[in-house]
Amino acid sequence: MADNGIGASVRRVEDDRFLTGRGTFTDDIDRPGQSHAWIVRSPHANAKIKSIDIAKAAAAEGVLAVFTGADMAADEVGSLPCGWDITNRDGSAMKTPPHPPLAVDQARHVGDQVALVIAESRALARDAAELVAIDYEPLAAVTATAAANKPGAPQVWDEIPDNLCYDSGWGDEAATDAAFKQAAHVTTLELINSRIIPNPIEPRVAIGEYDAGNGKHTLYTTSQNPHVIRLLMGPFVLGLAEHKLRVVAPDVGGGFGSKIFHYAEEAIVTWAAKKVGRPVKWTAERSEAFVSDAHGRDHVTTAELALDRGAKFLGFRVRITANMGAYLSTFSTSVPSFFCTSVLGGVYTTPAVYAQIKAVFTNTVPVDAYRGAGRAEANYQLERVVDKAARELGIDPVELRRRNLIPSSAMPYMTPMALEYDSGDFAANMDACLKAADYAGFEQRRAAAAKQGKLRGIGLSVYVEAAGLGPSHLAGKLGAHAGLYESAEVRVHPTGSVTVFTGSHSHGQGHETTFAQVVSEQLGVPLESIEIVHGDTDLIPFGMGTFGSRSIAVGGSAIMVACDKVIAKGKKIAAHMLEAEEANIAFADGVFSDSASNQTLTLGDIALSAYVPHNYPLDSLEPGLDETAFYDPPNFTYPNGCFICEVEIDEETGAVAVVSFTAVDDFGTVINPMVVAGQVHGGVTQGIGQALLENCTYDGDSGQLTTGSYMDYTLPRADDLPTFAVEHNEIPCAHNPIGAKGCGEAGATGSTAAVINAVINALAPLGIEQLDMPATPHVVWRAMQAAKAAAAE
């Protein structure tokens, strides 16, 4: 199926309904008799809740009910769970505070949920919410990551000393310390990985519904993984048996990780629907999303690189303080620990690596996975310190990297963090990127820019990710509370069309196209005869959803395995129908053929016989052509690549312009090059956004979010971006049936370091060696003025 199978740049089939306004997003859904919810949120970063008077709100026009945390506690509603346990360096367990859906005694960040108003319309609910009278006792707050663990810092939780969630160690500390003692040179860099607000185009929405006739709850929600939400919310929060809870995630407009987690609002509306006897719908406003969606990044890091006299890396050591926010979000604890440290060795032969991670509580919105979670932070630390080492040693940054790259001949390669890279040619990626970016011609471009009053710089970043998120046995050992397999059911209908039920979920990746391409390749069915179904726990087998660049590598592999089962059964049916030996039956391009007689049957012929068994081996096979597979990967996948960025800086204003960006990636087998290019473009754009524009900040005294709208929080726009040059170096993954490695997070993982390295390269002639993200015009201009003043002294 060369025209629409694996490797074809098929246009996304789902885009027609999205572009013509015929998609079905959660906010498009209105249930019969539906009411509307408004959540009263704390205006304080830290405050005791002394009393809540709901009388006026309850008596307001159109109000059906007003609830508080005390009401949910009376119904024994549980705490929102954290799904990943981390062990401290001393062997003790991490600190896990309660996380009630509605705060009971104390609000711990601006935007914390305090009360719920349900009314006939959203406007009436909002008006009545202003009548809820809450007597707060404001307390001192701490919002800065670096300050949270210091003596005398305000306590987020009285029972958790020093705001310390955990203090964990990863890697071989003794071996790393020994490497540093032997080093001829040590480079040290202090870094801040700035806090990010995800901002998917679709704000979160949740609709709770209760059927009193069968006692079943339904939640419609903007989620990347509906089965995980059912698992977490049902038994652990609301005390519901899973067969009494259906979770539906229809079309979802972006997520970037922020829609993985189980949020309080989902539990609130599901619980409230039964209380009021009507469906309850909550839709976030954008300003609400800023103070309720899980934020990303927010690490303060000291990174050290040890090198020998030949500039070979001996050891890499980091000390990270990671902000958890006021509560532990679903996978928050795993991001700075496992997901960050697992790839700290990067693409290099560094023999010893160690990381100490301190996770701290602050009076801020919870922090969790954001596109590239952990891997992006690790790559930023490593690639920034490698560039600084190159400057200190007077070595070209390309040459320093080349001396230390893992050679392709070493694959499979066991890293010092106990991961085994199965495949990759990191040197080939870098060479291809250098050529595509015309690295050799950069100095001419720098000179030309100087004549225009511009400082031009070039930056490099090589990266590797641990993606695909499995295998389940390893995840369990590392503290995960669930397996990381994926499911698929492939149903061939009597006339040969196909429906695929997948546990993965699409929120913009194009699964309805790429998954169908896998099926088309395997079964020889045209794309228009293939339907992809996802997002409804009553329809699909239990699946883990979409995160960690796992959809095609794990979800697609499950589909391929299910297709193989269909083919295997089809061969048995064909052998019976053709009176042939099963060993002589071959299948290709939708046709079963007998090599002995040259007789053939189409997949449609086989399917019709399977469902209308007039000529069918009923004594040995069940009717039907419907197969299910659960694929548990034996290893992570390892997308890798090289990025080169060029910037120009206006000497008068400090404004940074990205003038070119080149990416060469190894994603293994590429299903759809056009879709993959789109994923790279989006990820790089988000990386450029963090590097140059985006920065979530809180007021240090009041704890107020000072970047609470697009007036203060700047997202990248089209005119902030160059035309991206994207190439692929396809080296198939050695351990999954598709050979895919995943592509969704690569752009965000490798781009920030490339951009900031380019900025530093441009500013280096002024003596500027360090800037933290974002390199806004103000930040760059101040750095240039300070450097010029220092030079004049």
Side-chain angles (χ1 to χ4, degrees):
M1 304 304 290
D3 292 338
N4 56 19
I6 292 175
S9 286
V10 177
R11 290 195 176 189
R12 296 182 3 150
V13 298
E14 52 268 75
D15 284 352
D16 178 67
R17 73 173 188 274
F18 293 149
L19 294 173
T20 56
R22 291 181 287 125
T24 302
F25 297 89
T26 308
D27 196 50
D28 294 321
I29 298 171
D30 290 307
R31 302 300 299 156
Q34 176 178 283
S35 60
H36 296 264
W38 190 269
I39 293 174
V40 181
R41 299 182 182 274
S42 171
H44 302 286
N46 196 15
K48 297 285 187 184
I49 301 173
K50 299 175 69 176
S51 65
I52 303 177
D53 185 349
I54 65 170
K56 289 184 179 179
E61 178 187 356
V63 171
L64 303 176
V66 181
F67 297 112
T68 68
D71 297 311
M72 297 192 80
D75 278 1
E76 299 183 345
V77 173
S79 178
L80 304 182
C82 176
W84 207 295
D85 291 332
I86 301 298
T87 301
N88 288 307
R89 291 191 296 157
D90 64 7
S92 62
M94 71 180 193
K95 301 294 185 182
T96 305
H99 188 179
L102 289 175
V104 179
D105 300 314
Q106 187 169 337
R108 288 180 166 85
H109 67 85
V110 172
D112 207 352
Q113 300 84 216
V114 178
L116 171 70
V117 178
I118 301 173
E120 294 289 355
S121 73
R122 190 162 179 252
L124 291 172
R126 181 175 186 170
D127 289 345
E130 296 181 3
L131 301 177
V132 177
I134 304 173
D135 185 8
Y136 291 104
E137 179 186 334
L139 304 171
V142 60
T143 59
T145 307
N149 191 230
K150 289 184 177 179
Q155 292 294 111
V156 180
W157 297 91
D158 292 339
E159 63 272 28
I160 301 179
D162 303 317
N163 295 316
L164 186 63
C165 175
Y166 63 77
D167 179 356
S168 67
W170 301 76
D172 190 330
E173 184 176 17
T176 306
D177 289 346
F180 273 81
K181 289 179 182 178
Q182 299 169 9
H185 181 84
V186 173
T187 295
T188 302
L189 185 59
E190 305 283 341
L191 293 168
I192 295 175
N193 203 306
S194 50
R195 179 180 278 237
I196 296 297
I197 300 174
N199 283 293
I201 193 170
E202 175 202 28
R204 288 188 299 114
V205 183
I207 306 170
E209 187 171 18
Y210 179 69
D211 186 336
N214 59 20
K216 188 166 185 173
H217 294 260
T218 299
L219 169 68
Y220 301 88
T221 184
T222 46
S223 175
Q224 299 176 213
N225 42 5
H227 267 117
V228 173
I229 303 306
R230 189 183 72 172
L231 173 63
L232 294 174
M233 186 180 76
F236 298 110
V237 180
L238 298 181
L240 301 175
E242 288 176 84
H243 71 289
K244 291 296 184 182
L245 174 60
R246 176 191 180 200
V247 177
V248 180
D251 291 327
V252 174
F256 314 126
S258 70
K259 292 175 182 174
I260 298 171
F261 325 120
H262 174 34
Y263 285 97
E265 294 87 357
E266 293 168 325
I268 289 169
V269 298
T270 305
W271 169 82
K274 182 177 180 181
K275 299 292 285 188
V276 300
R278 290 171 58 176
V280 177
K281 181 177 186 176
W282 169 80
T283 300
E285 293 194 336
R286 183 62 67 178
S287 58
E288 227 179 340
F290 272 72
V291 295
S292 63
D293 290 3
H295 294 174
R297 313 290 194 241
D298 204 346
H299 293 182
V300 176
T301 302
T302 299
E304 300 172 284
L305 182 64
L307 304 93
D308 68 12
R309 295 188 184 280
K312 289 284 287 182
F313 300 163
L314 298 176
F316 184 50
R317 182 168 59 198
V318 298
R319 293 180 178 85
I320 300 171
T321 302
N323 198 331
M324 296 287 99
Y327 304 98
L328 294 181
S329 181
T330 307
F331 296 116
S332 57
T333 51
S334 66
V335 174
S337 53
F338 172 70
F339 289 109
C340 179
T341 63
S342 62
V343 290
L344 276 176
V347 297
Y348 304 117
T349 57
T350 314
V353 178
Y354 182 73
Q356 180 185 356
I357 317 295
K358 288 187 175 182
V360 296
F361 292 104
T362 61
N363 295 111
T364 64
V365 174
V367 179
D368 210 317
Y370 174 77
R371 195 172 193 170
R375 288 75 44 85
E377 293 89 324
N379 186 77
Y380 183 71
Q381 298 160 18
L382 180 57
E383 290 300 285
R384 286 293 315 284
V385 79
V386 168
D387 247 40
K388 186 180 181 188
R391 288 193 301 274
E392 292 176 348
L393 295 171
I395 300 174
D396 184 275
V398 171
E399 173 59 24
L400 181 58
R401 287 173 169 87
R402 193 180 300 282
R403 292 185 193 183
N404 291 279
L405 289 176
I406 299 167
S408 59
S409 60
M411 298 296 172
Y413 183 85
M414 182 62 71
T415 76
M417 304 309 278
L419 293 185
E420 184 180 83
Y421 298 163
D422 64 287
S423 61
D425 191 337
F426 307 140
N429 294 339
M430 189 167 73
D431 289 341
C433 199
L434 292 169
K435 181 179 179 180
D438 186 21
Y439 188 84
F442 169 70
E443 289 302 331
Q444 290 180 324
R445 296 191 293 277
R446 187 200 289 269
K451 294 179 181 179
Q452 304 297 321
K454 308 286 187 182
L455 298 171
R456 191 165 181 127
I458 192 166
L460 179 73
S461 172
V462 290
Y463 76 91
V464 64
E465 294 185 82
L469 294 203
S472 295
H473 73 273
L474 178 59
K477 290 179 182 178
L478 294 168
H481 289 183
L484 293 174
Y485 53 82
E486 197 48 83
S487 65
E489 178 188 353
V490 174
R491 181 180 299 167
V492 184
H493 298 289
T495 57
S497 62
V498 177
T499 298
V500 177
F501 301 89
T502 172
S504 295
H505 193 281
S506 179
H507 49 282
Q509 294 90 340
H511 292 174
E512 292 174 41
T513 303
T514 55
F515 284 2
Q517 287 181 254
V518 172
V519 175
S520 182
E521 181 80 17
Q522 290 297 98
L523 299 183
V525 178
L527 287 184
E528 59 269 22
S529 297
I530 302 169
E531 177 189 27
I532 306 297
V533 178
H534 56 81
D536 188 334
T537 60
D538 271 10
L539 296 178
I540 59 177
F542 192 100
M544 299 309 296
T546 295
F547 51 90
S549 303
R550 70 192 307 269
S551 291
I552 199 66
V554 186
S557 290
I559 291 171
M560 184 170 278
V561 172
C563 286
D564 288 343
K565 290 184 176 181
V566 167
I567 294 168
K569 185 173 182 179
K571 286 182 177 181
K572 295 180 184 296
I573 300 170
H576 177 87
M577 294 176 68
L578 297 175
E579 299 180 349
E581 294 293 328
E582 184 181 336
N584 292 336
I585 301 296
F587 179 76
D589 296 329
V591 176
F592 293 89
S593 59
D594 175 18
S595 60
S597 66
N598 290 327
Q599 297 181 87
T600 61
L601 292 168
T602 66
L603 179 65
D605 295 331
I606 297 296
L608 185 62
S609 179
Y611 288 100
V612 187
H614 57 277
N615 183 12
Y616 189 85
L618 286 171
D619 56 337
S620 59
L621 286 180
E622 295 178 350
L625 199 54
D626 186 336
E627 297 291 339
T628 299
F630 286 80
Y631 178 75
D632 193 0
N635 191 2
F636 294 93
T637 60
Y638 300 99
N640 59 88
C642 179
F643 294 163
I644 295 177
C645 175
E646 287 192 43
V647 302
E648 286 186 351
I649 300 175
D650 189 306
E651 290 192 72
E652 296 297 322
T653 66
V656 179
V658 178
V659 292
S660 73
F661 199 102
T662 305
V664 174
D665 301 286
D666 170 14
F667 297 138
T669 302
V670 172
I671 307 300
N672 185 318
M674 182 172 61
V675 169
V676 168
Q679 288 292 305
V680 174
H681 290 182
V684 169
T685 297
Q686 288 183 274
I688 291 172
Q690 182 179 11
L692 299 181
L693 300 166
E694 300 181 54
N695 191 23
C696 172
T697 60
Y698 286 85
D699 181 80
D701 295 323
S702 67
Q704 294 294 319
L705 180 65
T706 55
T707 51
S709 75
Y710 293 138
M711 295 295 291
D712 301 294
Y713 189 90
T714 308
L715 292 176
R717 301 180 302 183
D719 59 358
D720 293 314
L721 308 170
T723 297
F724 300 121
V726 177
E727 296 183 6
H728 304 302
N729 178 28
E730 292 188 39
I731 300 176
C733 173
H735 60 73
N736 69 47
I738 292 182
K741 297 178 180 178
C743 67
E745 297 169 290
T749 296
S751 56
T752 52
V755 175
I756 296 298
N757 283 341
V759 171
I760 298 298
N761 179 260
L763 297 174
L766 300 179
I768 298 171
E769 295 189 350
Q770 163 60 359
L771 286 177
D772 280 315
M773 299 185 288
T776 62
H778 179 63
V779 167
V780 174
W781 183 86
R782 288 185 61 184
M784 290 193 297
Q785 300 313 304
K788 291 175 181 177
E793 292 179 357

